[in-house]
Amino acid sequence: MVSAVFSYILIPFLTFFLARGTGYFTTNFSSIRTALSRQGEFLLWSIITGTYFFFSLRLILLKAGQYFSTKKETLLLFLSAGMMLLFVITPYLPARFPFLSFIHVITAIISTVVLFFCLLILALKLYFREPEKGRPCLFLLISTAVFCISSLILSGIINTAMEIWFVLACCLLIRSYLRLFSK
């Protein structure tokens, strides 16, 4: 029940709240964060989303470990969490701190890509074990990748629309994985 509230209500609400008043294809969460009045919102969103994703996926991987090895996924989860912590605490002020801003961008990208591959490997293992259960997870991940890559090509930047889609897809996947591996 608590997981459903986080996945279906709290995290989507906070994600759209953080993105309010911005151009979905012309800005991103790092840019939103630079506004002094929005830093607290970004930090709250990061803490809630990151903590929920980490602990939920850790539980999922422990349960999935009964069916197949999850060592790679666990390593990827911890790497993603470490990179997320770095990008949250590293400032994004390119004119003032270009090197730290570069670190922020690189760790944000690495964290997201590594989390994506953690979810993808898990979906592939599930698909090869039980195709009917793994297929929707794979479809969601493939559609997320297609949307994000298309959006990047069309806008030329990592944008808010991509970030929203990715976060919502992760929420749906986590809920699906929790249901699938709790049986």
Side-chain angles (χ1 to χ4, degrees), residues 1-10 12 52 175 178-179:
M1 179 64 184
V2 172
S3 174
V5 170
F6 274 84
S7 280
Y8 297 142
I9 299 168
L10 186 60
Y52 173 70
R175 282 296 301 153
L178 283 169
R179 281 193 308 272

Side-chain angles (χ1 to χ4, degrees), residues 70-84:
T70 59
K71 289 179 184 176
K72 287 181 215 133
E73 297 90 330
T74 301
L75 177 64
L76 291 174
L77 175 62
F78 277 91
L79 178 59
S80 177
M83 292 292 109
M84 182 183 182

Side-chain angles (χ1 to χ4, degrees), residues 71-132:
K71 289 179 184 176
K72 287 181 215 133
E73 297 90 330
T74 301
L75 177 64
L76 291 174
L77 175 62
F78 277 91
L79 178 59
S80 177
M83 292 292 109
M84 182 183 182
L85 181 61
L86 273 174
F87 84 72
V88 168
I89 64 171
T90 306
Y92 180 73
L93 298 166
R96 194 163 174 208
F97 302 112
F99 180 72
L100 290 176
S101 297
F102 173 77
I103 296 297
H104 170 86
V105 170
I106 293 300
T107 55
I109 292 169
I110 291 170
S111 175
T112 304
V113 170
V114 168
L115 179 59
F116 178 84
F117 279 105
C118 174
L119 296 168
L120 180 62
I121 292 169
L122 190 57
L124 286 168
K125 287 181 178 179
L126 180 61
Y127 176 77
F128 288 120
R129 187 173 189 277
E130 297 182 61
E132 67 283 349

Side-chain angles (χ1 to χ4, degrees), residues 2-63:
V2 172
S3 174
V5 170
F6 274 84
S7 280
Y8 297 142
I9 299 168
L10 186 60
I11 292 175
F13 171 78
L14 289 174
T15 301
F16 281 107
F17 184 75
L18 182 63
R20 77 189 181 289
T22 65
Y24 283 5
F25 294 94
T26 58
T27 190
N28 56 45
F29 285 178
S30 294
S31 299
I32 294 168
R33 173 190 175 188
T34 61
L36 290 177
S37 62
R38 309 284 303 271
Q39 288 179 347
E41 292 173 29
F42 178 81
L43 185 60
L44 178 66
W45 174 82
S46 298
I47 291 169
I48 290 172
T49 303
T51 301
Y52 173 70
F53 285 0
F54 179 80
F55 285 108
S56 295
L57 280 169
R58 185 74 184 114
L59 177 64
I60 290 163
L61 293 174
L62 288 171
K63 290 181 177 190

